[in-house]
Amino acid sequence: MTSHPTVGVEEEFLLIDPQRGEPIARNRQVAASAAAHGVDLQLELTSCQVETTTAVMDSSSALRSELTRLRRIATEAAAANGAQLLAAALPPTVPHKFPVTPTARYRRIAHRFGMIAHEQGICGCHVHVAVPDREAAIHVSNWLRPWLHVLLALTANSAIYRNTDSGYASFRSVLWSRWPSSGPPPYFDSAAQYDAAVAMLERAGAALDDGMIYWDVRPSANFPTVEVRVSDVPATVAETVLLATLIRAGVMTAMTAHDGGESAPRLADCQLRAAHWKAARDGLDGDGIDLLGDQSTVPVRELLDRFVDTVRPALVALGDYEMARGELGRVVAEGNGAMRQRRAWRRRGEIEDVISELAAAVVGD
């Protein structure tokens, strides 16, 4: 049995009409088909989305196999119901609004938050890493705050939206920021302080429950984990494995720092917001803000190298250092989801090319 923290991943996917390319409201039918093959797909806020959930994993190789299996079955279930599964953080082409999945909770969210809820179809990737307790989760959250924007740039996968280039590598994060409990979290001194902030948001009606705390990293509401929610759903399994491995190593590094009595830096919220905006705007092939240095802008790829260097002891302990270095090099060379989308879009300016590129990547490399 591993002595390292376990990891689990949730990936959200779009269902689109194979002919028109628009989101299609068939998540219940697709989930029923997947269930017949032993996969429990979760229904998301809009009925054009489904979510896969891995089992608890203790190695990157096992995680890769599980993610591939889940994507394959979800893709086949979609096809069996006249839909196509896309790993894209936003639909490249959309109708005016999306129908909300008709559950009591989702209806309450739609009633309370109006058009914010109806104009979704937003797909992210959530990585859970086991921690000893909620106080540990708070420390890990504080430690990860300066690095979250780098992970967002790495996984950006929502450049094309409403039949045009949005001008952002991750337009998902821009739309998602409209929720009052989204974005980089505050610095918390304790789990009690975190709970007080959540209670305030619920009293104000800014969140119906703790499941609507959408901060980019948070103590999980349901599991003994810290949950990192900053990223777009990656285009490929390999990118999701890389993301989860880097986060797992980051959690381990944060816990080592905590055990050594180190405190995480107290960065101002405005610094984090600026860094996240720039990461969303520029993506992997642009510049990011050096939050732990002089606040200057440097290439995101340099910031990623620094993060890998910072968490290298944890990656080595996991046996994943060479894999992480190799996969990071490949993503930098070949491009992430946003870069794939833009290359396809610039060929002819046709949305069909973008959809074909994304569809090919779902279970590919």
Side-chain angles (χ1 to χ4, degrees):
M1 184 173 179
T2 181
S3 60
H4 305 306
T6 54
V7 63
V9 175
E10 300 160 351
E11 290 191 298
E12 297 167 341
F13 299 100
L14 289 165
L15 300 170
I16 67 164
D17 184 297
Q19 281 72 49
R20 300 194 307 272
E22 292 185 353
I24 188 169
R26 293 187 183 168
N27 63 353
R28 288 184 179 273
Q29 298 95 315
V30 172
S33 293
H37 292 86
V39 170
D40 183 17
L41 295 180
Q42 303 300 309
L43 305 182
E44 289 299 302
L45 176 60
T46 65
S47 51
C48 63
Q49 295 171 273
V50 292
E51 179 185 73
T52 61
T53 304
T54 72
V56 175
M57 301 277 105
D58 60 12
S59 73
S60 60
S61 59
L63 178 62
R64 184 186 303 272
S65 297
E66 176 76 343
L67 288 168
T68 300
R69 181 183 74 89
L70 292 174
R71 284 189 177 209
R72 176 180 55 79
I73 292 175
T75 297
E76 292 170 354
N81 289 278
Q84 186 171 50
L85 192 86
L86 283 192
L90 287 176
T93 182
V94 299
H96 178 64
K97 67 179 182 179
F98 304 117
V100 170
T101 299
T103 67
R105 182 170 182 271
Y106 286 154
R107 286 194 183 102
R108 289 177 61 210
I109 291 173
H111 177 74
R112 173 70 60 83
F113 294 94
M115 192 59 72
I116 294 178
H118 284 279
E119 286 191 336
Q120 290 299 295
I122 290 176
C123 294
C125 176
H126 309 152
V127 177
H128 291 259
V129 180
V131 291
D133 51 48
R134 296 182 74 250
E135 294 295 342
I138 294 299
H139 172 78
V140 169
S141 173
N142 291 338
W143 190 93
L144 285 173
R145 288 169 83 235
W147 295 110
L148 292 170
H149 68 114
V150 182
L151 299 176
L152 171 60
L154 173 65
T155 60
N157 188 24
S158 47
I160 308 302
Y161 183 59
R162 295 188 181 274
N163 296 288
T164 192
D165 189 325
S166 67
Y168 288 80
S170 173
F171 198 55
R172 174 203 67 90
S173 65
V174 176
L175 295 182
W176 193 247
S177 68
R178 297 178 300 179
W179 291 94
S181 59
S182 64
Y187 186 105
F188 292 110
D189 290 316
S190 65
Q193 189 180 48
Y194 173 90
D195 291 341
V198 170
M200 179 275 294
L201 289 169
E202 292 179 3
R203 286 195 304 272
L208 294 185
D209 48 43
D210 55 11
M212 284 192 71
I213 302 305
Y214 295 147
W215 285 320
D216 292 332
V217 57
R218 68 181 188 183
S220 172
N222 301 310
F223 307 106
T225 65
V226 62
E227 180 183 6
V228 180
R229 307 169 49 88
V230 70
S231 71
D232 287 7
V233 61
T236 66
V237 167
E239 290 170 75
T240 299
V241 173
L242 174 61
L243 171 70
T245 301
L246 293 177
I247 290 172
R248 189 183 185 195
V251 172
M252 292 168 63
T253 305
M255 290 303 302
T256 298
H258 178 61
D259 293 342
E262 298 179 29
S263 297
R266 289 179 175 266
L267 296 173
D269 290 346
C270 65
Q271 294 173 306
L272 293 171
R273 286 197 300 271
H276 280 238
W277 176 85
K278 188 157 185 61
R281 174 67 175 78
D282 292 358
L284 179 60
D285 53 348
D287 289 340
I289 299 177
D290 181 8
L291 289 175
L292 293 176
D294 60 3
Q295 315 294 310
S296 63
T297 56
V298 298
V300 165
R301 296 170 184 182
E302 180 179 329
L303 294 175
L304 279 164
D305 285 339
R306 291 186 199 174
F307 182 71
V308 171
D309 288 342
T310 300
V311 304
R312 178 172 181 167
L315 288 171
V316 170
L318 291 169
D320 284 333
Y321 177 72
E322 295 300 330
M323 180 277 288
R325 273 291 181 197
E327 289 295 345
L328 184 57
R330 187 172 74 150
V331 174
V332 166
E334 298 179 1
N336 62 4
M339 296 159 74
R340 287 171 180 256
Q341 289 185 31
R342 281 180 166 145
R343 282 199 302 265
W345 176 253
R346 288 167 181 166
R347 285 199 292 268
R348 298 186 303 152
E350 296 290 343
I351 207 68
E352 291 84 359
D353 294 341
V354 178
I355 291 172
S356 294
E357 175 72 23
L358 291 170
V362 172
V363 292
D365 294 326

